[in-house]
């Protein structure tokens, strides 16, 4: 397969690159701020996935894609952790969450639609989070991150419906990785047990197993790392 990992320098992105390279796939990946070291047998592209021209340039540089995984996202910045209450709500932080967690999937879908069209199964997979499920929200808090992932989920469901006719072989899903040991989860790792913290390599293997079971008939779903369907 020709694979494109958007956000290839992140914890989960790097582990996915490694597993797909070992399987002999043709792996392409993007970096944002920090250029990645060049690996033999793969292709790196600079991309700010919140900038439409940057995504357009990426699509023009890459040919047909069988599997696109959007691994980019933020949960916290140097200045702010996710909100514990509405009194901590900050406009800039909210907009940063929407910009990084929601917008890139729309730009990628717009500019990679023609790249994912094929007579055989293709896959458009976006890293979401269970806290973006409206039905599953029992705890509250983290309002900007939750809202950005809920919006992402709506985008994915809507794209999946549109592509059922335009790209009938493409499977579009949202994927919840659980808590994975990456820079994104570091401030929150103390609160959970070791058993609840998954390694990026373990997670990459789980997603790889799920992809083996996916097909166009499963488009428009929200899956977790165990292959279970989550409520939107
Ligand atoms: N880790 C977890 O426990 C967990 C749990 C639930 C969901 N998720 C989701 O899984 C995904 C991957 O997370 P991760 O744990 O691998 O996080 P990570 O290690 O912090 O990686 C995030 C990646 O996003 C990239 N990125 C941020 N802004 C970008 C932009 N404007 N353009 C292009 N790339 C950009 C970062 O690159 P730069 O650093 O160069 O900006 C980095 O490579 C995220 O969507 C996250 O919400 C993770």
């Amino acid at each position: 397969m020709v694979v494109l990992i958007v956000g290839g320098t992140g914890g989960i992105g790097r582990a996915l690159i490694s597993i797909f390279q070992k399987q002999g796939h043709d792996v392409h990946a993007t970096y944002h701020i920090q250029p990645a070291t060049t690996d033999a047998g793969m292709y790196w592209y600079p991309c700010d996935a919140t900038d439409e021209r940057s995504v357009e340039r990426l699509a023009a540089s890459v040919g047909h894609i069988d599997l696109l995984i959007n691994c980019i996202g933020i949960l916290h910045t140097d200045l702010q952790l996710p909100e514990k209450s509405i009194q901590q709500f900050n406009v800039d932080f909210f907009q940063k969450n929407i910009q990084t967690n929601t917008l890139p999937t729309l730009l990628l879908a717009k500019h990679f639609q023609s790249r994912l069209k094929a007579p055989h199964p293709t896959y458009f997979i976006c890293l979401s989070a269970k806290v973006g499920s409206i039905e599953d929200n029992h705890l509250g808090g983290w309002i900007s991150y939750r809202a950005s992932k809920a919006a992402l989920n709506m985008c994915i469901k809507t794209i999946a419906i549109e592509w059922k006719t335009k790209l009938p072989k493409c499977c579009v899903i949202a994927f919840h990785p659980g808590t994975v040991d990456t820079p994104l989860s570091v401030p929150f790792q103390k609160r959970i047990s070791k058993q609840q913290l998954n390694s990026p390599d373990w997670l990459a293997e789980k997603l790889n197993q799920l992809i083996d079971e996916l097909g166009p008939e499963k488009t428009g779903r929200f899956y977790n790392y165990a292959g279970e369907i989550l409520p939107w």
Side-chain angles (χ1 to χ4, degrees), residues 1 20 67 69 123 125 207-214:
M1 284 201 293
F20 292 128
L67 167 62
I69 308 182
Y123 309 86
I125 297 176
L207 179 52
N208 186 40
Q209 284 168 12
L210 176 65
I211 291 166
D212 279 347
E213 291 160 20
L214 292 177

Side-chain angles (χ1 to χ4, degrees), residues 6-14 30-34 47-51 70-76 96 99-101 104 126-131 145 149 152 175-185 197:
V6 179
T9 55
I12 294 175
R14 267 201 303 265
T30 73
Y31 65 88
H32 178 213
I33 293 168
Q34 196 76 20
C47 181
D48 175 355
T50 66
D51 172 10
N70 175 13
C71 300
I72 81 170
I74 58 144
L75 172 57
H76 53 87
K96 176 88 179 157
Q99 194 185 22
T100 315
N101 294 333
C126 302
L127 272 286
S128 184
K130 196 164 81 165
V131 295
Y145 186 71
K149 291 295 190 180
L152 170 67
F175 180 74
H176 166 62
T179 307
V180 184
D181 186 5
T182 69
L184 181 138
S185 69
L197 184 64

Side-chain angles (χ1 to χ4, degrees), residues 20-216:
F20 292 128
Q21 275 197 304
K22 278 183 200 142
Q23 291 178 339
H25 296 304
D26 185 1
V27 183
H28 301 244
T30 73
Y31 65 88
H32 178 213
I33 293 168
Q34 196 76 20
T37 51
T38 42
D39 283 300
M42 69 167 292
Y43 310 86
W44 283 99
Y45 308 85
C47 181
D48 175 355
T50 66
D51 172 10
E52 182 155 14
R53 270 179 299 177
S54 185
V55 175
E56 224 174 341
R57 271 197 303 273
L58 174 68
S61 314
V62 180
H64 168 78
I65 299 289
D66 297 303
L67 167 62
L68 190 160
I69 308 182
N70 175 13
C71 300
I72 81 170
I74 58 144
L75 172 57
H76 53 87
T77 65
D78 292 343
L79 298 175
Q80 192 164 347
L81 289 173
E83 310 89 340
K84 287 185 180 160
S85 86
I86 191 65
Q87 295 310 320
Q88 294 171 347
F89 180 79
N90 172 282
V91 173
D92 291 342
F93 185 64
F94 176 74
Q95 286 174 341
K96 176 88 179 157
N97 269 270
I98 295 287
Q99 194 185 22
T100 315
N101 294 333
T102 314
L103 179 64
T105 288
L106 293 168
L107 296 177
L108 289 166
K110 179 177 172 184
H111 293 287
F112 278 88
Q113 177 172 323
S114 60
R115 300 283 186 268
L116 286 160
K117 191 167 185 169
H120 56 266
T122 60
Y123 309 86
F124 184 66
I125 297 176
C126 302
L127 272 286
S128 184
K130 196 164 81 165
V131 295
S133 166
I134 292 173
E135 198 177 327
D136 189 73
N137 186 357
H138 305 293
L139 291 174
W142 290 20
I143 197 160
S144 295
Y145 186 71
R146 280 187 191 276
S148 68
K149 291 295 190 180
L152 170 67
N153 288 351
M154 179 57 87
C155 297
I156 293 164
K157 177 90 185 181
T158 304
I159 293 159
I161 291 169
E162 182 180 335
W163 284 4
K164 270 185 189 176
T165 47
K166 292 181 181 159
L167 275 70
K169 290 289 185 183
C170 188
C171 180
V172 180
I173 65 154
F175 180 74
H176 166 62
T179 307
V180 184
D181 186 5
T182 69
L184 181 138
S185 69
V186 165
F188 313 97
Q189 292 182 3
K190 276 176 276 173
R191 298 181 199 167
I192 58 167
S193 68
K194 274 194 174 163
Q195 290 89 322
Q196 288 172 296
L197 184 64
N198 300 319
S199 78
D201 289 339
W202 180 90
L203 187 270
E205 183 50 48
K206 288 289 171 191
L207 179 52
N208 186 40
Q209 284 168 12
L210 176 65
I211 291 166
D212 279 347
E213 291 160 20
L214 292 177

